[in-house]
Amino acid sequence: MKLIYEQSRPGRRGVRVPECSVPRAKARIPARLRRKEPAALPEVSELDVIRHYTNLSRLNFSVDTNYYPLGSCTMKYNPKVCEKVARLDGFAKLHPLLPQLRNGGMLTQGALKVLYELERMLAEVTGMAEMTLQPMAGANGELTGAMIIAAYHAARGNDKKRFLIPDSAHGTNPATAAIAGYGVTPIPSDGEGCMDLKALEKELSDDVAGVMLTAPNTLGLFEKHVQTICRLVHEVDGLMYCDGANMNAFVGRVRPGDLGFDVVHLNLHKTFATPHGGGGPGAGAVGVVEKLRPFLPISRVIKRDDGTYALDYEAPQSIGYIAPFYGNFGVLLRAYAYLRMLGAEGLREVSTHAVLNANYVRVKLREKYETPYDRMCMHECVISARRQERHGVRALDIAKALLDRGFHAPTVYFPLIVHEALMIEPTETESKETLDAFIAAMEEIAELAETEPARLHAAPVTTPVGRLDEAAAAREMILTA
Ligand SMILES: *Cc1c(COP(=O)(O)O)cnc(C)c1O
């Protein structure tokens, strides 16, 4: 593809800026900082620019263009009706500093109502007493939850020092605990991929602030002992934190609050179909049980007796602001529309089909690939490239070969406890035909691994750039060539 600079022709232009109608301010920039020569900007037409950026955008994989089984990320389809709701002028053009009541307050009542009702719906879905919608991502939600747990212990005069976290956890979990001021003790997994109860009991003592558990865990497996774990942790006055990023596995069926969790974060940009990728924006709503309500971030959306909504800042024990204003409001609107569209029955169908799709893929792939924890999985399955490794083909080669076949790669080398891991999350929005095409591609790749491994080492060959040294590409980015 030609760079926009290479398309430059002297005098060609896309826009004409009108002459300034007020006297030019005397240059305020000191002379030594001013350019001597005009910047060598590309001179191109409007059409050149449109084609350039439209073509650039088409070089990416996206949920709207390709199957995207990136495990743990729940890359489900984002319904366009939710986009439409988020673009309604009354929401999109609302200024966050408009008054809540009186003098124009009616302008914000609708937005406050959306926030209030979304909190109620998510509290119902998670079985929690109260929610905050402020956190901007899952990891931000984790930090909010860990800070709430720290505030709870501080208020009780508890001397807590550690979080216990399973070795299969997402890297954000230990990072969060550390940033909240705690030490981290990893708990190994047992032969079935669940938290090792014996190891947990050995580590449990009065200095444990809590356990961060991912449900279902990152192997896509349900923690069979979750209720026992909750009881044991509560006995030492620890709190149970549920990393609910995998809620797509049981949304509408099981509620973390009913299992015994005290805090849960949801990734609205995963389970509740709001767009993500490229770093956001996201929303990591956090729910808490009644006894943690006083520590929630301010501001809180409240409903007054007269039916109006307002923001409340009266919370002396609050951990304070987590995000500017009220979080990523546009993302919250999309999640609200999604929930209203699906209802309770629709949510149950989401998890039903997410789990069915993952198990379909798992069972179909098991002939050609090793499935290290071969039992019923939840919304994603983890396979290993151990068999292919014997022919010198690694998980990374398989991931790259999938790109050539029009599929985004699954997550690779995570969870860390599976050798040559490929973590596949189909999501509920994919049809059987798409899953079958993906499975056929995976089978073809497994055969190539035995017959022509060199072809897999060369992949990808159809993408704009071939195989990269990914670490170097991220650290020493060259954006001009
Ligand atoms: C995605 C994910 C997170 C982090 O969420 P972000 O929104 O990316 O910050 C945490 N835990 C698990 C299990 C996840 O899948």
Side-chain angles (χ1 to χ4, degrees), residues 270-298:
K270 294 181 183 173
T271 314
F272 299 95
T274 71
H276 68 308
V286 170
V288 296
V289 292
E290 188 58 43
K291 68 179 175 187
L292 299 177
R293 189 194 290 263
F295 309 106
L296 283 166
I298 49 168

Side-chain angles (χ1 to χ4, degrees), residues 287-356:
V288 296
V289 292
E290 188 58 43
K291 68 179 175 187
L292 299 177
R293 189 194 290 263
F295 309 106
L296 283 166
I298 49 168
S299 51
R300 314 266 327 119
V301 186
I302 54 165
K303 187 174 183 181
R304 295 213 166 97
D305 291 341
D306 65 359
T308 58
Y309 299 88
L311 290 167
D312 182 26
Y313 300 85
E314 292 303 314
Q317 289 183 291
S318 164
I319 61 165
Y321 267 102
I322 278 294
F325 302 115
Y326 325 111
N328 276 326
F329 182 62
V331 174
L332 300 173
L333 267 174
R334 289 170 174 87
Y336 176 80
Y338 183 71
L339 275 161
R340 291 293 300 261
M341 182 170 72
L342 262 63
E345 198 42 50
L347 283 184
R348 277 175 74 87
E349 272 181 48
V350 164
S351 49
T352 306
H353 290 280
V355 171
L356 181 64

Side-chain angles (χ1 to χ4, degrees), residues 470-481:
E470 293 183 353
R475 287 188 197 132
E476 293 157 42
M477 230 180 254
I478 301 165
L479 297 173
T480 50

Side-chain angles (χ1 to χ4, degrees), residues 451-470:
T451 54
E452 290 178 83
R455 276 182 59 196
L456 299 177
H457 295 144
V461 294
T462 58
T463 50
V465 280
R467 186 82 65 106
L468 291 170
D469 174 342
E470 293 183 353

Side-chain angles (χ1 to χ4, degrees), residues 72 137-139 142 170 172-173 214 218 243 245-246 265 267 269-270:
S72 208
E142 288 172 34
H170 197 271
T172 49
N173 289 188
T214 306
T218 57
D243 180 333
N246 291 341
H265 89 256
N267 292 53
H269 47 288
K270 294 181 183 173

